[in-house]
Amino acid sequence: MSNDADISRRDFVRGRLLRTVRAMAGVPTPPPAPQRAAWVPLPIRRPPGAVPEARFLAECTRCNACIQACPVGAITVAPMRFRHAAGTPMIDQATAACVMCPDTPCISACEPGVLRKDRPLKMGTAWVDRSNCLAHRGTLCTTCSERCPVPGALRVDGGKPAIQDATCTGCGVCAQVCPAPINAIAILPLPDRPA
Amino acid sequence: MTTVDRREFIKSAAMSAAVAAAAGSTRAFALPVLTAPGVQWNKAPCRFCGTGCHVLVGVEDGRVVGIQGDLKADVNKGLLCVKGYHVGQILYGKDRLTTPLLRKDGRLVPISWEEAIDTVARRVLKDPKGFAMYGSGQWTIPEGCAGNKFMKGGLSSNHLDGNPRLCMSSAVTGFLSTYGVDEPAGVYDDLDQCDVAIMWGNNMAEMHPVVFSRIVDRRSRGEKVTIIDFGTRRTRTTDHADEFLLFKPNSDLAIANGIAHLLVQNNAYDKDFVARHCNFRQLDPEKPDAMQGKPMTFDEYAAALAEYTPERVEQISGVPADKIRLLAALFARRDIRITSLWCMGMNQHTRGTAINCLVHGIHLLSGHFGKPGDAPTSLTGQPSACGTVREVGTLCHLLPGGRLVANEDHRKHAEGFWNLPEGRINPKPGYHTVLLFEKFCTPTDKGGDIHTLWVQVTNPGQSLPNLHKLFKAKKGLEDKFLIVSDVYPTATTELADLVLPSALWVEKNGMYGNSERRTQQWFKMVDPPGQARDDCWQTIAVARRLFDLGFEGMKNKDAEFLFTFKDKGGKPVPVWDWNHYYDINVDEAFFEEYRPFSKLKQKDLAPYAEYARTRGLRWPVVQQPDGSWRETRWRFSEFDDPYVKKGAGTQFYNSVTKDDKALVWFRPWEPPPEGPDADYPYWLCTGRVLEHWHTGSMTRRVPQLHRAMPAAYVEISSTDAARLGVRSGERVALVSRRGRLELPCWIGGRGDCPEGTVFVPFFDESLLINELTLDAHDPFSKQPDYKKCAVRVERVVTTGAAR
Ligand code: SF4
């Protein structure tokens, strides 16, 4: 619990600083998060192939099978601050990334079928904060594009990374490996997955 | 690093953002920096590479809490590379060494500093001739001065070598045999003005990223600069190159000769420059000597080059004949400026001296020399390979100021400056690095006459080639004693008998000298952790212990202690006592003692205070009539170098031939000592990656850098990988005649090898690629070749190894 509180406080501090920095550097603030339907709790990043959120909440049995199946330990149980989503599987950007296994063991393990092979693998979208990205600030850096597991999702244009929103799955590998002093990649979750 | 530490860092990194933004960021880049009241900002050069960027270090409550690029620094103008932005965190890895450790019954146990210093002194007394010191291009200038004087002036022993032997010594022999004096004539300013930049086997985008940005950045301002990348594999540098010329390993000498041949054959060389400023030389087969050689006429030179036709060069190197013609045509043009850049590719080469000479030769022959933008410039990998090792002379054959132990006059001079009795300095050069470690790792009864080795500020247990032979063989040799001064446990401390915890970077005063002759200074900003103490102090303390034990060598001519430093009132300060070490500025004292040496070969340094004031100055720094100190950017050129005679235009005033001319050498291409064959069919090349520096002992303790590049890998071409049936992430074994190592492969990642070549970075202490590399070295510079040896690649069959 105390850990959760720490993280959210840190997020808060960081968010405020980020806004200040952006304002000072004349960088526009990121686009507002997509409009959410009233029933969605907090934005939560699900494992790949998740069904729409309402159905996910209703049908996920909290059996933890996907958590056990993940070979890199990327999936965790949503903590209490996610309120009624607490206990369901999620991927926390602060600590882990989905590595996009070709054989998606988490989906295979999901018995109630809230993770499905016939659903898009998209979990969210990466967003590059240009005021903190080293490459966008004149320092040679290509780490994120080299480690991105999805071909074509992260292109380097003139030495600077650019996310291809349609291809990006939001796995979070880029955010994990980003070596900038202030991590320059945010993963925007996809709470309103299409039906 | 604990969560709290890390969070503080994140916070302070964020804090780092406002100053630059407020200052209006003269450059579009450099991360925005925030600061807070209470944070004190002070300048220091970056701890890592030879680029020599300046950072501003933010300190609060005795802790480094922020780093920002220094807008006032000429070198980097506010920009840093990914490592530099995190340099503050290297102080706070959780396993810092904080107490002296002595090996007892196989285990390292804490001991007191008194016992530690006494132990070192007793090892000296055992037999001073068998006591050796191994220093570093990461030594500060005063640390190098202390080590040099301790060994050469105190123990009368020249068994002191430094790790730049492994990275820069071929550049040194190249400069010496061409100009009669070490270090580049040009500076980074050339990169702002050249039309063509040629990378000779140099992955500058990863190794010297900030200087490389300086070139690439010109393009974003609409300037045109052509980058030509000569390489044995595609790298991040290739991404920015206009021309990529892939050559077969070891064939660079043929290419250089091919260019020279065309310049001569097409009568396209600069006749005037050659007539006024060049002599021609080749090796004397009777008496191979890289300095003097055997004179040859221009016609003999032309005849020697004749076999290097573009077609023949294509055959040897794989570079199309047309591209050789294109390069020669570029050098033939007088209306453009060409800068050549190189680093380990040309230096870590069994023909390192030769290829260095050839590249200088092309520039001299074509007159692309001595004008802004026209320069052959070598880059250094370590922050003070130039400052501490090449200038202070911490190699086994050198004395400070670029002088030689073998020369009687030079010795006399040094004895004078150091106030030593005549004859104290030993005329016989000591063991160079490879030989030194060989002698240390050979049993005493089999001729291994080095019984004790003191390593400071470097990690030979990971960075030496052929590690089984040159390092690991020490294990089990009971009478051999390894002393290591370092800040973290490393592959070297693993075999150490005595570990001395050191202060790191801004935990002490320091001075560095970067690739472009720039001498830099910083002040201590925070205290070292626990009982960690300055390396310089350690050397002085051992010397004092020897003095107290009656060792004659630790006395100067007046029977005073060798390291006698006086305060302003003329009273000696007991600096060997840690409590008094900072009573005076020992760095300043050493530097002022060393300064007179710098004038001997026109490498004049300014007083210490000038460096404290500036972001470094490039030597020769000469005092002006108005009392100010002026640095020199272009050496040997009348318009900038005060030592050039009026009207001479260009003058090589340190000339080997004493006629103010440089030497253009002919050196033939020869096949390498080891190349791929039926049993070992691949070339193995080793090197660095952007995120890690040297052996990773500092950068791997920075969480962001470690996450970005967590482990070593083998880069292999997709064709070879398909043939072996391996995919990215799967493990293969590399086997050479000297060792075997299993690694995951990475295909199409950071770089891209051609078929038949594999590349492995050496930063990872858990995957020691240097167990496989070759200890064959250049005959003149004694620098080993880490870039070329033969290996076999085997698929490792294990279950579930894919991830
Ligand atoms: S590592 Fe080298 S290039 Fe990077 S900031 Fe430090 S000195 Fe500059």
Side-chain angles (χ1 to χ4, degrees), chain B residues 134 166 433-434 437-438 441 459-468 470-472 695 762 769-771 773-775 784 786:
Chain B
Y134 185 61
L166 308 176
T433 299
V434 171
F437 279 90
E438 216 175 295
C441 292
N459 188 7
Q462 184 168 346
S463 65
L464 282 169
N466 199 357
L467 278 171
H468 286 297
L470 294 183
F471 188 71
K472 303 210 161 173
T695 49
F762 78 101
I769 191 61
N770 278 326
E771 291 177 355
T773 48
L774 193 62
D775 54 331
Y786 292 85

PDB file of all heavy atoms in Angstrom, chain B residues 134 166 433-434 437-438 441 459-468 470-472 695 762 769-771 773-775 784 786:
ATOM      1  N   TYR B 134      50.610   0.232 -12.934  1.00  0.00           N
ATOM      2  CA  TYR B 134      49.842   0.292 -14.176  1.00  0.00           C
ATOM      3  C   TYR B 134      48.798   1.380 -14.022  1.00  0.00           C
ATOM      4  O   TYR B 134      47.883   1.274 -13.211  1.00  0.00           O
ATOM      5  CB  TYR B 134      49.191  -1.064 -14.447  1.00  0.00           C
ATOM      6  CG  TYR B 134      48.465  -1.146 -15.763  1.00  0.00           C
ATOM      7  CD1 TYR B 134      49.148  -0.959 -16.965  1.00  0.00           C
ATOM      8  CD2 TYR B 134      47.109  -1.419 -15.817  1.00  0.00           C
ATOM      9  CE1 TYR B 134      48.486  -1.038 -18.181  1.00  0.00           C
ATOM     10  CE2 TYR B 134      46.435  -1.510 -17.027  1.00  0.00           C
ATOM     11  CZ  TYR B 134      47.132  -1.316 -18.206  1.00  0.00           C
ATOM     12  OH  TYR B 134      46.475  -1.396 -19.403  1.00  0.00           O
ATOM     13  N   LEU B 166      46.955   0.493 -24.718  1.00  0.00           N
ATOM     14  CA  LEU B 166      45.996  -0.376 -25.394  1.00  0.00           C
ATOM     15  C   LEU B 166      45.072   0.405 -26.314  1.00  0.00           C
ATOM     16  O   LEU B 166      44.277  -0.177 -27.024  1.00  0.00           O
ATOM     17  CB  LEU B 166      45.146  -1.127 -24.352  1.00  0.00           C
ATOM     18  CG  LEU B 166      45.903  -1.875 -23.266  1.00  0.00           C
ATOM     19  CD1 LEU B 166      44.936  -2.482 -22.271  1.00  0.00           C
ATOM     20  CD2 LEU B 166      46.784  -2.962 -23.867  1.00  0.00           C
ATOM     21  N   THR B 433      52.753  -2.576 -21.570  1.00  0.00           N
ATOM     22  CA  THR B 433      51.611  -3.261 -20.955  1.00  0.00           C
ATOM     23  C   THR B 433      51.550  -4.770 -21.175  1.00  0.00           C
ATOM     24  O   THR B 433      51.471  -5.540 -20.218  1.00  0.00           O
ATOM     25  CB  THR B 433      50.305  -2.606 -21.451  1.00  0.00           C
ATOM     26  OG1 THR B 433      50.327  -1.245 -21.052  1.00  0.00           O
ATOM     27  CG2 THR B 433      49.091  -3.286 -20.855  1.00  0.00           C
ATOM     28  N   VAL B 434      51.593  -5.211 -22.431  1.00  0.00           N
ATOM     29  CA  VAL B 434      51.431  -6.645 -22.694  1.00  0.00           C
ATOM     30  C   VAL B 434      52.549  -7.434 -22.014  1.00  0.00           C
ATOM     31  O   VAL B 434      52.318  -8.446 -21.346  1.00  0.00           O
ATOM     32  CB  VAL B 434      51.390  -6.926 -24.220  1.00  0.00           C
ATOM     33  CG1 VAL B 434      51.436  -8.420 -24.496  1.00  0.00           C
ATOM     34  CG2 VAL B 434      50.131  -6.317 -24.833  1.00  0.00           C
ATOM     35  N   PHE B 437      52.191  -7.461 -18.047  1.00  0.00           N
ATOM     36  CA  PHE B 437      51.252  -8.445 -17.517  1.00  0.00           C
ATOM     37  C   PHE B 437      51.740  -9.868 -17.769  1.00  0.00           C
ATOM     38  O   PHE B 437      51.473 -10.767 -16.975  1.00  0.00           O
ATOM     39  CB  PHE B 437      49.847  -8.205 -18.081  1.00  0.00           C
ATOM     40  CG  PHE B 437      49.128  -7.116 -17.345  1.00  0.00           C
ATOM     41  CD1 PHE B 437      49.223  -5.799 -17.760  1.00  0.00           C
ATOM     42  CD2 PHE B 437      48.396  -7.403 -16.203  1.00  0.00           C
ATOM     43  CE1 PHE B 437      48.587  -4.779 -17.063  1.00  0.00           C
ATOM     44  CE2 PHE B 437      47.755  -6.396 -15.492  1.00  0.00           C
ATOM     45  CZ  PHE B 437      47.857  -5.082 -15.921  1.00  0.00           C
ATOM     46  N   GLU B 438      52.460 -10.061 -18.857  1.00  0.00           N
ATOM     47  CA  GLU B 438      53.035 -11.374 -19.110  1.00  0.00           C
ATOM     48  C   GLU B 438      54.037 -11.709 -18.004  1.00  0.00           C
ATOM     49  O   GLU B 438      54.021 -12.809 -17.449  1.00  0.00           O
ATOM     50  CB  GLU B 438      53.739 -11.345 -20.468  1.00  0.00           C
ATOM     51  CG  GLU B 438      53.630 -12.638 -21.238  1.00  0.00           C
ATOM     52  CD  GLU B 438      54.253 -12.494 -22.620  1.00  0.00           C
ATOM     53  OE1 GLU B 438      53.709 -11.705 -23.420  1.00  0.00           O
ATOM     54  OE2 GLU B 438      55.277 -13.143 -22.869  1.00  0.00           O
ATOM     55  N   CYS B 441      52.247 -12.428 -14.766  1.00  0.00           N
ATOM     56  CA  CYS B 441      51.490 -13.683 -14.717  1.00  0.00           C
ATOM     57  C   CYS B 441      52.360 -14.915 -14.956  1.00  0.00           C
ATOM     58  O   CYS B 441      51.836 -16.024 -15.027  1.00  0.00           O
ATOM     59  CB  CYS B 441      50.346 -13.635 -15.732  1.00  0.00           C
ATOM     60  SG  CYS B 441      49.090 -12.460 -15.279  1.00  0.00           S
ATOM     61  N   ASN B 459      40.892  -1.096 -15.356  1.00  0.00           N
ATOM     62  CA  ASN B 459      40.314  -2.418 -15.142  1.00  0.00           C
ATOM     63  C   ASN B 459      40.906  -3.448 -16.106  1.00  0.00           C
ATOM     64  O   ASN B 459      40.207  -3.966 -16.965  1.00  0.00           O
ATOM     65  CB  ASN B 459      38.793  -2.267 -15.339  1.00  0.00           C
ATOM     66  CG  ASN B 459      38.017  -3.495 -14.958  1.00  0.00           C
ATOM     67  OD1 ASN B 459      38.567  -4.454 -14.418  1.00  0.00           O
ATOM     68  ND2 ASN B 459      36.732  -3.492 -15.260  1.00  0.00           N
ATOM     69  N   PRO B 460      42.203  -3.733 -15.965  1.00  0.00           N
ATOM     70  CA  PRO B 460      42.854  -4.622 -16.932  1.00  0.00           C
ATOM     71  C   PRO B 460      42.273  -6.042 -16.935  1.00  0.00           C
ATOM     72  O   PRO B 460      42.373  -6.735 -17.942  1.00  0.00           O
ATOM     73  CB  PRO B 460      44.324  -4.636 -16.496  1.00  0.00           C
ATOM     74  CG  PRO B 460      44.317  -4.210 -15.066  1.00  0.00           C
ATOM     75  CD  PRO B 460      43.161  -3.261 -14.942  1.00  0.00           C
ATOM     76  N   GLY B 461      41.665  -6.454 -15.822  1.00  0.00           N
ATOM     77  CA  GLY B 461      41.084  -7.787 -15.759  1.00  0.00           C
ATOM     78  C   GLY B 461      39.965  -7.975 -16.764  1.00  0.00           C
ATOM     79  O   GLY B 461      39.498  -9.085 -17.009  1.00  0.00           O
ATOM     80  N   GLN B 462      39.512  -6.880 -17.351  1.00  0.00           N
ATOM     81  CA  GLN B 462      38.492  -6.958 -18.389  1.00  0.00           C
ATOM     82  C   GLN B 462      39.012  -6.408 -19.722  1.00  0.00           C
ATOM     83  O   GLN B 462      38.593  -6.861 -20.787  1.00  0.00           O
ATOM     84  CB  GLN B 462      37.254  -6.159 -17.943  1.00  0.00           C
ATOM     85  CG  GLN B 462      36.091  -6.257 -18.902  1.00  0.00           C
ATOM     86  CD  GLN B 462      34.817  -5.712 -18.287  1.00  0.00           C
ATOM     87  OE1 GLN B 462      34.722  -5.493 -17.071  1.00  0.00           O
ATOM     88  NE2 GLN B 462      33.810  -5.485 -19.116  1.00  0.00           N
ATOM     89  N   SER B 463      39.917  -5.452 -19.656  1.00  0.00           N
ATOM     90  CA  SER B 463      40.282  -4.758 -20.888  1.00  0.00           C
ATOM     91  C   SER B 463      41.532  -5.291 -21.580  1.00  0.00           C
ATOM     92  O   SER B 463      41.769  -4.964 -22.740  1.00  0.00           O
ATOM     93  CB  SER B 463      40.464  -3.264 -20.601  1.00  0.00           C
ATOM     94  OG  SER B 463      41.554  -3.066 -19.731  1.00  0.00           O
ATOM     95  N   LEU B 464      42.320  -6.109 -20.906  1.00  0.00           N
ATOM     96  CA  LEU B 464      43.489  -6.670 -21.592  1.00  0.00           C
ATOM     97  C   LEU B 464      43.037  -7.668 -22.648  1.00  0.00           C
ATOM     98  O   LEU B 464      42.007  -8.310 -22.492  1.00  0.00           O
ATOM     99  CB  LEU B 464      44.383  -7.403 -20.589  1.00  0.00           C
ATOM    100  CG  LEU B 464      45.290  -6.563 -19.689  1.00  0.00           C
ATOM    101  CD1 LEU B 464      45.861  -7.455 -18.604  1.00  0.00           C
ATOM    102  CD2 LEU B 464      46.415  -5.910 -20.481  1.00  0.00           C
ATOM    103  N   PRO B 465      43.828  -7.849 -23.700  1.00  0.00           N
ATOM    104  CA  PRO B 465      43.495  -8.906 -24.651  1.00  0.00           C
ATOM    105  C   PRO B 465      43.948 -10.261 -24.094  1.00  0.00           C
ATOM    106  O   PRO B 465      44.731 -10.303 -23.139  1.00  0.00           O
ATOM    107  CB  PRO B 465      44.327  -8.528 -25.877  1.00  0.00           C
ATOM    108  CG  PRO B 465      45.524  -7.819 -25.328  1.00  0.00           C
ATOM    109  CD  PRO B 465      45.043  -7.098 -24.093  1.00  0.00           C
ATOM    110  N   ASN B 466      43.463 -11.302 -24.679  1.00  0.00           N
ATOM    111  CA  ASN B 466      43.887 -12.659 -24.310  1.00  0.00           C
ATOM    112  C   ASN B 466      43.954 -12.831 -22.793  1.00  0.00           C
ATOM    113  O   ASN B 466      44.996 -13.169 -22.218  1.00  0.00           O
ATOM    114  CB  ASN B 466      45.260 -12.959 -24.949  1.00  0.00           C
ATOM    115  CG  ASN B 466      45.514 -14.456 -25.001  1.00  0.00           C
ATOM    116  OD1 ASN B 466      44.712 -15.264 -24.532  1.00  0.00           O
ATOM    117  ND2 ASN B 466      46.646 -14.840 -25.578  1.00  0.00           N
ATOM    118  N   LEU B 467      42.826 -12.602 -22.142  1.00  0.00           N
ATOM    119  CA  LEU B 467      42.781 -12.518 -20.681  1.00  0.00           C
ATOM    120  C   LEU B 467      43.288 -13.754 -19.942  1.00  0.00           C
ATOM    121  O   LEU B 467      43.877 -13.633 -18.882  1.00  0.00           O
ATOM    122  CB  LEU B 467      41.336 -12.243 -20.238  1.00  0.00           C
ATOM    123  CG  LEU B 467      40.895 -10.779 -20.306  1.00  0.00           C
ATOM    124  CD1 LEU B 467      39.397 -10.685 -20.057  1.00  0.00           C
ATOM    125  CD2 LEU B 467      41.652  -9.934 -19.289  1.00  0.00           C
ATOM    126  N   HIS B 468      43.058 -14.933 -20.521  1.00  0.00           N
ATOM    127  CA  HIS B 468      43.528 -16.141 -19.816  1.00  0.00           C
ATOM    128  C   HIS B 468      45.027 -16.069 -19.628  1.00  0.00           C
ATOM    129  O   HIS B 468      45.552 -16.344 -18.563  1.00  0.00           O
ATOM    130  CB  HIS B 468      43.154 -17.400 -20.606  1.00  0.00           C
ATOM    131  CG  HIS B 468      41.681 -17.717 -20.508  1.00  0.00           C
ATOM    132  ND1 HIS B 468      41.077 -18.028 -19.321  1.00  0.00           N
ATOM    133  CD2 HIS B 468      40.713 -17.762 -21.448  1.00  0.00           C
ATOM    134  CE1 HIS B 468      39.787 -18.247 -19.523  1.00  0.00           C
ATOM    135  NE2 HIS B 468      39.532 -18.090 -20.811  1.00  0.00           N
ATOM    136  N   LEU B 470      47.083 -13.222 -20.088  1.00  0.00           N
ATOM    137  CA  LEU B 470      47.670 -11.996 -19.549  1.00  0.00           C
ATOM    138  C   LEU B 470      47.119 -11.581 -18.193  1.00  0.00           C
ATOM    139  O   LEU B 470      47.636 -10.674 -17.562  1.00  0.00           O
ATOM    140  CB  LEU B 470      47.510 -10.838 -20.541  1.00  0.00           C
ATOM    141  CG  LEU B 470      48.274 -10.969 -21.846  1.00  0.00           C
ATOM    142  CD1 LEU B 470      48.086  -9.733 -22.704  1.00  0.00           C
ATOM    143  CD2 LEU B 470      49.756 -11.214 -21.611  1.00  0.00           C
ATOM    144  N   PHE B 471      46.037 -12.211 -17.741  1.00  0.00           N
ATOM    145  CA  PHE B 471      45.516 -11.798 -16.435  1.00  0.00           C
ATOM    146  C   PHE B 471      45.161 -12.979 -15.540  1.00  0.00           C
ATOM    147  O   PHE B 471      45.644 -13.103 -14.431  1.00  0.00           O
ATOM    148  CB  PHE B 471      44.318 -10.863 -16.597  1.00  0.00           C
ATOM    149  CG  PHE B 471      43.876 -10.270 -15.291  1.00  0.00           C
ATOM    150  CD1 PHE B 471      44.641  -9.312 -14.655  1.00  0.00           C
ATOM    151  CD2 PHE B 471      42.707 -10.705 -14.667  1.00  0.00           C
ATOM    152  CE1 PHE B 471      44.263  -8.782 -13.430  1.00  0.00           C
ATOM    153  CE2 PHE B 471      42.319 -10.177 -13.440  1.00  0.00           C
ATOM    154  CZ  PHE B 471      43.095  -9.219 -12.829  1.00  0.00           C
ATOM    155  N   LYS B 472      44.333 -13.877 -16.076  1.00  0.00           N
ATOM    156  CA  LYS B 472      43.827 -14.941 -15.204  1.00  0.00           C
ATOM    157  C   LYS B 472      44.921 -15.909 -14.759  1.00  0.00           C
ATOM    158  O   LYS B 472      44.767 -16.595 -13.750  1.00  0.00           O
ATOM    159  CB  LYS B 472      42.701 -15.678 -15.918  1.00  0.00           C
ATOM    160  CG  LYS B 472      41.607 -14.695 -16.318  1.00  0.00           C
ATOM    161  CD  LYS B 472      40.236 -15.297 -16.361  1.00  0.00           C
ATOM    162  CE  LYS B 472      39.238 -14.169 -16.295  1.00  0.00           C
ATOM    163  NZ  LYS B 472      37.869 -14.578 -16.484  1.00  0.00           N
ATOM    164  N   THR B 695      35.038  -0.364 -19.534  1.00  0.00           N
ATOM    165  CA  THR B 695      34.593  -1.705 -19.168  1.00  0.00           C
ATOM    166  C   THR B 695      33.254  -1.688 -18.430  1.00  0.00           C
ATOM    167  O   THR B 695      32.896  -2.658 -17.779  1.00  0.00           O
ATOM    168  CB  THR B 695      35.654  -2.386 -18.277  1.00  0.00           C
ATOM    169  OG1 THR B 695      36.006  -1.477 -17.229  1.00  0.00           O
ATOM    170  CG2 THR B 695      36.902  -2.701 -19.079  1.00  0.00           C
ATOM    171  N   PHE B 762      32.685  -4.941 -25.432  1.00  0.00           N
ATOM    172  CA  PHE B 762      33.470  -5.488 -24.303  1.00  0.00           C
ATOM    173  C   PHE B 762      33.080  -4.926 -22.937  1.00  0.00           C
ATOM    174  O   PHE B 762      33.759  -5.143 -21.961  1.00  0.00           O
ATOM    175  CB  PHE B 762      34.974  -5.298 -24.571  1.00  0.00           C
ATOM    176  CG  PHE B 762      35.501  -3.896 -24.333  1.00  0.00           C
ATOM    177  CD1 PHE B 762      36.197  -3.579 -23.176  1.00  0.00           C
ATOM    178  CD2 PHE B 762      35.318  -2.904 -25.282  1.00  0.00           C
ATOM    179  CE1 PHE B 762      36.700  -2.294 -22.955  1.00  0.00           C
ATOM    180  CE2 PHE B 762      35.814  -1.619 -25.073  1.00  0.00           C
ATOM    181  CZ  PHE B 762      36.500  -1.316 -23.905  1.00  0.00           C
ATOM    182  N   ILE B 769      34.657 -10.854 -23.524  1.00  0.00           N
ATOM    183  CA  ILE B 769      35.065 -11.180 -24.886  1.00  0.00           C
ATOM    184  C   ILE B 769      36.584 -11.166 -25.032  1.00  0.00           C
ATOM    185  O   ILE B 769      37.152 -11.823 -25.902  1.00  0.00           O
ATOM    186  CB  ILE B 769      34.384 -10.239 -25.916  1.00  0.00           C
ATOM    187  CG1 ILE B 769      34.601 -10.736 -27.347  1.00  0.00           C
ATOM    188  CG2 ILE B 769      34.862  -8.806 -25.772  1.00  0.00           C
ATOM    189  CD1 ILE B 769      34.040 -12.095 -27.653  1.00  0.00           C
ATOM    190  N   ASN B 770      37.258 -10.442 -24.135  1.00  0.00           N
ATOM    191  CA  ASN B 770      38.717 -10.388 -24.249  1.00  0.00           C
ATOM    192  C   ASN B 770      39.413 -11.701 -23.877  1.00  0.00           C
ATOM    193  O   ASN B 770      40.619 -11.813 -24.003  1.00  0.00           O
ATOM    194  CB  ASN B 770      39.280  -9.219 -23.449  1.00  0.00           C
ATOM    195  CG  ASN B 770      39.187  -7.925 -24.246  1.00  0.00           C
ATOM    196  OD1 ASN B 770      39.324  -7.947 -25.471  1.00  0.00           O
ATOM    197  ND2 ASN B 770      38.941  -6.819 -23.580  1.00  0.00           N
ATOM    198  N   GLU B 771      38.624 -12.690 -23.449  1.00  0.00           N
ATOM    199  CA  GLU B 771      39.236 -14.008 -23.296  1.00  0.00           C
ATOM    200  C   GLU B 771      39.580 -14.584 -24.666  1.00  0.00           C
ATOM    201  O   GLU B 771      40.353 -15.528 -24.786  1.00  0.00           O
ATOM    202  CB  GLU B 771      38.282 -14.940 -22.543  1.00  0.00           C
ATOM    203  CG  GLU B 771      38.122 -14.535 -21.082  1.00  0.00           C
ATOM    204  CD  GLU B 771      37.127 -15.384 -20.330  1.00  0.00           C
ATOM    205  OE1 GLU B 771      36.466 -16.245 -20.956  1.00  0.00           O
ATOM    206  OE2 GLU B 771      36.997 -15.179 -19.106  1.00  0.00           O
ATOM    207  N   THR B 773      40.339 -12.482 -27.537  1.00  0.00           N
ATOM    208  CA  THR B 773      41.100 -11.601 -28.436  1.00  0.00           C
ATOM    209  C   THR B 773      42.591 -11.922 -28.415  1.00  0.00           C
ATOM    210  O   THR B 773      43.095 -12.628 -27.556  1.00  0.00           O
ATOM    211  CB  THR B 773      40.874 -10.124 -28.067  1.00  0.00           C
ATOM    212  OG1 THR B 773      41.035  -9.981 -26.659  1.00  0.00           O
ATOM    213  CG2 THR B 773      39.496  -9.658 -28.468  1.00  0.00           C
ATOM    214  N   LEU B 774      43.253 -11.301 -29.374  1.00  0.00           N
ATOM    215  CA  LEU B 774      44.641 -11.633 -29.704  1.00  0.00           C
ATOM    216  C   LEU B 774      45.576 -10.660 -28.998  1.00  0.00           C
ATOM    217  O   LEU B 774      45.327  -9.468 -28.962  1.00  0.00           O
ATOM    218  CB  LEU B 774      44.756 -11.447 -31.220  1.00  0.00           C
ATOM    219  CG  LEU B 774      45.939 -11.954 -32.004  1.00  0.00           C
ATOM    220  CD1 LEU B 774      46.036 -13.459 -31.885  1.00  0.00           C
ATOM    221  CD2 LEU B 774      45.766 -11.559 -33.473  1.00  0.00           C
ATOM    222  N   ASP B 775      46.687 -11.175 -28.449  1.00  0.00           N
ATOM    223  CA  ASP B 775      47.636 -10.240 -27.845  1.00  0.00           C
ATOM    224  C   ASP B 775      48.754  -9.831 -28.800  1.00  0.00           C
ATOM    225  O   ASP B 775      49.703  -9.165 -28.398  1.00  0.00           O
ATOM    226  CB  ASP B 775      48.208 -10.792 -26.535  1.00  0.00           C
ATOM    227  CG  ASP B 775      48.817 -12.172 -26.687  1.00  0.00           C
ATOM    228  OD1 ASP B 775      48.359 -12.918 -27.571  1.00  0.00           O
ATOM    229  OD2 ASP B 775      49.743 -12.511 -25.934  1.00  0.00           O
ATOM    230  N   PRO B 784      48.078  -3.755 -28.833  1.00  0.00           N
ATOM    231  CA  PRO B 784      47.462  -4.973 -29.372  1.00  0.00           C
ATOM    232  C   PRO B 784      46.290  -4.673 -30.308  1.00  0.00           C
ATOM    233  O   PRO B 784      45.746  -3.578 -30.306  1.00  0.00           O
ATOM    234  CB  PRO B 784      46.966  -5.715 -28.132  1.00  0.00           C
ATOM    235  CG  PRO B 784      47.300  -4.889 -26.957  1.00  0.00           C
ATOM    236  CD  PRO B 784      47.770  -3.548 -27.410  1.00  0.00           C
ATOM    237  N   TYR B 786      42.643  -5.394 -31.095  1.00  0.00           N
ATOM    238  CA  TYR B 786      41.375  -5.923 -30.566  1.00  0.00           C
ATOM    239  C   TYR B 786      40.315  -6.034 -31.661  1.00  0.00           C
ATOM    240  O   TYR B 786      39.191  -6.392 -31.402  1.00  0.00           O
ATOM    241  CB  TYR B 786      40.812  -4.986 -29.509  1.00  0.00           C
ATOM    242  CG  TYR B 786      41.579  -4.884 -28.222  1.00  0.00           C
ATOM    243  CD1 TYR B 786      42.645  -4.021 -28.078  1.00  0.00           C
ATOM    244  CD2 TYR B 786      41.193  -5.660 -27.129  1.00  0.00           C
ATOM    245  CE1 TYR B 786      43.317  -3.911 -26.870  1.00  0.00           C
ATOM    246  CE2 TYR B 786      41.865  -5.556 -25.918  1.00  0.00           C
ATOM    247  CZ  TYR B 786      42.927  -4.683 -25.795  1.00  0.00           C
ATOM    248  OH  TYR B 786      43.577  -4.576 -24.600  1.00  0.00           O
TER     249      TYR B 786
END
